[in-house]
Amino acid sequence: HVQLVESGGGSVQAGGSLTLSCTTSGFASTTTYCLAWFRQSPGKGREPLASIYSATGRTFYPGYRRGRFTISRAGAKVDLLMSSLKPEDTATYYCATHSTRDGGVCEYLMHTASTDYERWGQGTQVTVS
């Protein structure tokens, strides 16, 4: 059965760095997908931060935030590397997948800030003070 599990959240001082990990399991051998990191704060929708297409490793970022948040493969895991953290980065962070055979779909989902993903993890809390 398909599972997504986030880990690595915690408390960090402003200006610090943190790496979150998303571990996937249960996908069929023929499945390819976009895997994206989102965050959500009280009173806000889920905001996409970065994504990767599993078949090729191509990555996608919102144009206004490229660089401070980086998506990276780490063995069987997909990491979100966060640096220069600010108090406004305090949120619950999620990973999610959207099945597709076309990496252009991942680009479209990022460009439109879509939350149309089929599977979601439970979230991990990040607090910046």
Side-chain angles (χ1 to χ4, degrees), residues 6-46:
E6 303 95 339
S7 62
S11 181
V12 64
Q13 294 297 305
S17 300
L18 199 64
T19 299
L20 308 180
S21 294
C22 178
T23 302
T24 66
S25 63
F27 286 99
S29 62
T30 56
T31 299
T32 60
Y33 49 85
C34 317
L35 189 151
W37 280 97
F38 292 79
R39 69 183 179 189
Q40 185 168 27
S41 301
K44 299 180 180 178
R46 293 192 178 187

Side-chain angles (χ1 to χ4, degrees), residues 76-89:
K77 302 182 297 293
V78 177
D79 290 351
L80 184 70
L81 289 69
M82 305 186 293
S83 63
S84 301
L85 287 165
K86 306 172 182 179
E88 52 262 45
D89 295 320

Side-chain angles (χ1 to χ4, degrees), residues 2 4 24 27 33-36 95-99 117-120:
V2 173
L4 301 173
T24 66
F27 286 99
Y33 49 85
C34 317
L35 189 151
C95 62
T97 57
H98 178 107
S99 297
Y117 286 71
E118 300 153 353
R119 304 173 183 89
W120 295 81

Side-chain angles (χ1 to χ4, degrees), residues 8 22 25 54 63 65 76 106 111:
C22 178
S25 63
S54 67
R65 198 182 291 278
C106 307
H111 181 261

